Amino acid sequence: MISNNHDRYDHLRLKIPTRMGVINSLNKFDAEFFSVPPKFCDIMDPRLRKLLEVCHEAVVDSGVVPKSIKGTRTGVFIGVSDSDAGAITKRTKKRTNMYGVLGNESSMLANRISYNFDLNGPSLAVQTACSSGFTAIHQALIAIRVGLCDAAIVAGAQCNHDAVGSFMFHGLEMTSADGKCRAFDAEADGFVRAEAVVAIYICKRQAAKRAYVSLVHATINNDGYKEEGISFPSSVLQETVIRQLYDETGIDPLEVDYIESHGTGTIVGDPQEMHAIMKVFCAGRNQPLLVGSVKSNMGHSEPVSGLCGLSKMILAHTKGILPANLHYNTPNPDIPALVDRRIRVVDKNQKFSAEYVGLNSMGFGGTNVHILLKFDKHETESTWVPSIPLILLCSGRSAQAVTHFLDQALLDCKNQHFVKLLHELSKEAMPRHLFRGYVVIHSQSMDINVDNPNPKESVWFIFTGMGSQWVGMFMDMIKFGAFKNWFVPHNAEELNNKKGALYNINIKDEETSFFQGHSFQGYSKIPCFISETHFKSKRNLYHFDGQQ
């Protein structure tokens, strides 16, 4: 992930670290899918291209069809820093056109997302240096709670194209000379710069179709004036913002099992932050407080670093494994709580089942944010064995994409929630998805079928005439909850005449005569269900005895 082999910039003979974490394939973008004109795409900030992709993925991953939130009060809050690409565009005559302003202004990182998804909630870019991503979360939570929006996309993006920025950080002794972030270690000498793009979709719990974690609360403050200088962190104000959260929520800090710290590996930053954490969380604790920092694993993505830490915790909960902090060997002697083991750095992969997790994010201008997460306890899921064959559906921009997705989906086909999520996403056609595919589970041959349907083609339903086969069809259909739930209220009179026993009508042999005696009734129920529920067709054709 962190490497010397990158082509982000010419070093311009500046004294800067050569190692950096970089995003692959910045030059790849499906402009047609996002309706971006070629001239605009060519000059657009790479962060914006990546944000369009990742925000779309976050919405879909939450179980929401993007088309369903068009025109809704969904907010967009993006954590940003200055645009390296924009700075380069302004000082060069190459590849410059009038779209440079629209494609590189920080505000457009949020506004373009709102435009593409047609979202009508608040839309703003937030810049508080390294705490920008968490400040964006804080603003989104407030907006949802006071009713400014019903849901929110929160994201952040960082790309490093300009060697001058790295030169300035290194001049301030913030970056590590050998490109290793040794957070909390005695040899810590700074961080390694990294790129990242992260997006999350936030909504109220009762509206969520998929929930990885609950955002309990977030608090924010600023250090204000400091004699040491604006970039010197304040342990006192960091402690204040952390305590504020637990005072406002009424949650005991001792219930927090792990802290994902800001942990940049800087000479001043780590001791100041650990002192604040020790003051809040260690008094009265029987076991050492576990801490870590994702920056040791992937580098410091600056405005996105908090969101990267949040992603780390979600993955740790999902997999049940907390990843080790890298490059940690000897406790920093300037952090007494590490030396006497009131705080312990997670230096080996270990099992993870925490309920409450605290996260810190601090900007070098003094803006501090603390967030509290609550994870649901892992429950042992019983093996799900559906009584009927299931179909998994998927659409995509290419046949390879559809096939790849269905191959991966088959690995989770026994996860009832996952299958339900796929069915939810398949209710509406995804615009500009040219290929569609499916696979039937529990069939003799689980082959993946992919097709490129002609958009001009339409669906017709043809229902054949009366016959004894309708009894068998009905007995298969009644196994589907959707059909059973529709059938009962639509046939209350017939069911009441037979004492209301639905299963007695068709499941027991002695009762099947009722349905056979009302074959037209049975024949009509299935097509009525199809035409009145989720299925859409251009025309329906019917046939029964006595009609030519």
Side-chain angles (χ1 to χ4, degrees):
M1 184 175 290
I2 300 173
S3 171
N4 286 308
N5 300 319
H6 65 81
D7 57 356
R8 280 296 178 265
Y9 46 65
D10 183 344
H11 288 81
L12 305 176
R13 298 182 181 179
L14 298 173
K15 185 180 179 181
I16 55 177
T18 57
R19 283 168 56 85
M20 186 168 67
V22 297
I23 298 173
N24 294 324
S25 304
L26 276 186
N27 60 331
K28 306 292 185 183
F29 180 64
D30 192 346
E32 181 187 12
F33 180 72
F34 292 103
S35 301
V36 177
K39 288 185 178 180
F40 188 16
C41 178
D42 189 49
I43 205 68
M44 180 186 286
D45 190 327
R47 296 181 301 169
L48 182 48
R49 295 200 295 262
K50 283 298 180 183
L51 278 170
L52 285 168
E53 295 175 348
V54 175
C55 287
H56 175 86
E57 292 170 355
V59 171
V60 172
D61 187 66
S62 68
V64 175
V65 179
K67 192 163 64 173
S68 70
I69 58 175
K70 288 182 63 174
T72 63
R73 296 192 313 156
T74 299
V76 178
F77 302 84
I78 309 295
V80 302
S81 61
D82 287 341
S83 171
D84 281 8
I88 293 171
T89 298
K90 290 175 181 177
R91 68 176 185 242
T92 182
K93 294 181 180 180
K94 296 181 180 179
R95 302 193 330 151
T96 303
N97 59 45
M98 62 181 179
Y99 291 111
V101 174
L102 297 178
N104 290 278
E105 288 296 327
S106 294
S107 61
M108 285 297 172
L109 296 181
N111 299 159
R112 175 63 58 171
I113 302 299
S114 298
Y115 172 82
N116 270 69
F117 289 91
D118 189 13
L119 307 177
N120 302 140
S123 181
L124 58 142
V126 177
Q127 186 172 0
T128 59
C130 305
S131 58
S132 296
F134 270 17
T135 303
I137 290 180
H138 179 267
Q139 294 300 302
L141 289 176
I142 290 175
I144 292 173
R145 285 170 175 168
V146 303
L148 293 176
C149 57
D150 301 317
I153 296 172
V154 179
Q158 174 70 6
C159 293
N160 300 316
H161 302 286
D162 196 344
V164 175
S166 293
F167 172 73
M168 291 179 177
F169 278 117
H170 199 55
L172 290 170
E173 299 182 348
M174 290 184 174
T175 52
S176 170
D178 63 355
K180 293 182 180 179
C181 183
R182 301 178 177 87
F184 320 117
D185 191 82
E187 300 297 322
D189 63 343
F191 58 83
V192 53
R193 300 192 77 196
E195 300 176 335
V197 181
V198 178
I200 60 175
Y201 181 81
I202 302 175
C203 66
K204 294 180 180 179
R205 181 87 183 198
Q206 60 267 30
K209 296 179 180 179
R210 186 182 204 176
Y212 288 110
V213 65
S214 295
L215 289 165
V216 179
H217 195 41
T219 48
I220 186 170
N221 72 2
N222 188 275
D223 293 345
Y225 176 79
K226 296 161 288 189
E227 290 186 0
E228 299 88 347
I230 189 170
S231 63
F232 195 95
S234 169
S235 174
V236 173
L237 271 298
Q238 290 181 16
E239 177 188 346
T240 299
V241 79
I242 296 172
R243 287 195 185 278
Q244 179 185 345
L245 187 146
Y246 298 95
D247 289 342
E248 290 179 359
T249 60
I251 294 172
D252 189 336
L254 295 179
E255 294 186 55
V256 176
D257 299 309
Y258 175 82
I259 296 292
E260 176 65 16
S261 74
H262 190 58
T264 56
T266 54
I267 296 173
V268 174
D270 286 1
Q272 293 291 314
E273 183 187 8
M274 288 299 103
H275 182 73
I277 289 173
M278 178 272 296
K279 294 277 286 184
V280 177
F281 294 100
C282 290
R285 188 175 291 269
N286 296 324
Q287 298 292 331
L289 174 68
L290 300 180
V291 299
S293 171
V294 73
K295 298 171 185 66
S296 74
N297 307 92
M298 60 163 284
H300 187 10
S301 55
E302 296 160 30
V304 201
S305 60
L307 290 168
C308 290
L310 175 59
S311 300
K312 168 189 169 180
M313 300 320 302
I314 290 173
L315 288 171
H317 174 75
T318 302
K319 302 298 182 181
I321 298 292
L322 187 61
N325 240 54
L326 302 183
H327 315 305
Y328 178 76
N329 299 302
T330 306
N332 187 332
D334 293 330
I335 307 177
L338 282 181
V339 177
D340 62 24
R341 295 188 63 81
R342 284 174 291 172
I343 295 176
R344 181 170 72 82
V345 176
V346 177
D347 57 354
K348 296 180 181 179
N349 289 358
Q350 66 178 62
K351 291 184 178 180
F352 181 71
S353 59
E355 181 179 11
Y356 286 106
V357 170
L359 297 94
N360 273 347
S361 191
M362 285 80 184
F364 69 176
T367 298
N368 311 305
V369 185
H370 186 68
I371 288 178
L372 181 64
L373 306 179
K374 182 179 181 181
F375 291 101
D376 293 333
K377 292 183 178 179
H378 281 290
E379 296 182 1
T380 304
E381 295 184 2
S382 57
T383 303
W384 180 51
V385 182
S387 59
I388 55 176
L390 293 174
I391 184 169
L392 297 183
L393 303 170
C394 174
S395 64
R397 295 283 286 159
S398 67
Q400 294 89 338
V402 174
T403 301
H404 175 75
F405 182 88
L406 289 175
D407 278 334
Q408 297 301 308
L410 283 172
L411 301 178
D412 286 325
C413 66
K414 293 184 179 180
N415 183 327
Q416 187 175 11
H417 181 70
F418 175 74
V419 173
K420 181 181 178 181
L421 200 68
L422 287 188
H423 288 176
E424 187 74 25
L425 292 171
S426 301
K427 287 182 178 180
E428 296 281 351
M430 195 77 72
R432 300 183 185 88
H433 274 197
L434 304 180
F435 291 84
R436 300 176 185 179
Y438 70 91
V439 59
V440 179
I441 305 174
H442 298 160
S443 61
Q444 292 181 349
S445 176
M446 290 196 296
D447 294 331
I448 293 175
N449 299 273
V450 180
D451 189 19
N452 182 7
N454 187 336
K456 294 182 180 180
E457 293 179 357
S458 56
V459 177
W460 289 51
F461 287 121
I462 301 176
F463 302 101
T464 61
M466 294 185 294
S468 58
Q469 71 272 19
W470 283 102
V471 176
M473 293 181 189
F474 182 88
M475 291 176 68
D476 286 335
M477 289 287 288
I478 204 67
K479 297 176 183 177
F480 292 87
F483 178 69
K484 185 174 74 173
N485 294 336
W486 176 90
F487 179 83
V488 174
H490 283 75
N491 297 272
E493 183 177 351
E494 291 92 335
L495 292 175
N496 289 333
N497 291 339
K498 297 297 292 183
K499 298 181 182 179
L502 175 61
Y503 282 93
N504 287 341
I505 295 174
N506 283 142
I507 302 304
K508 293 184 178 180
D509 293 339
E510 63 270 18
E511 298 291 344
T512 58
S513 58
F514 167 77
F515 198 84
Q516 291 171 336
H518 296 76
S519 57
F520 178 75
Q521 289 263 354
Y523 154 68
S524 64
K525 299 307 178 186
I526 295 176
C528 285
F529 164 73
I530 291 175
S531 62
E532 290 184 19
T533 51
H534 305 302
F535 303 94
K536 298 179 181 179
S537 62
K538 184 175 182 180
R539 296 285 188 275
N540 294 337
L541 296 182
Y542 303 88
H543 165 74
F544 59 90
D545 289 356
Q547 181 175 3
Q548 298 298 320

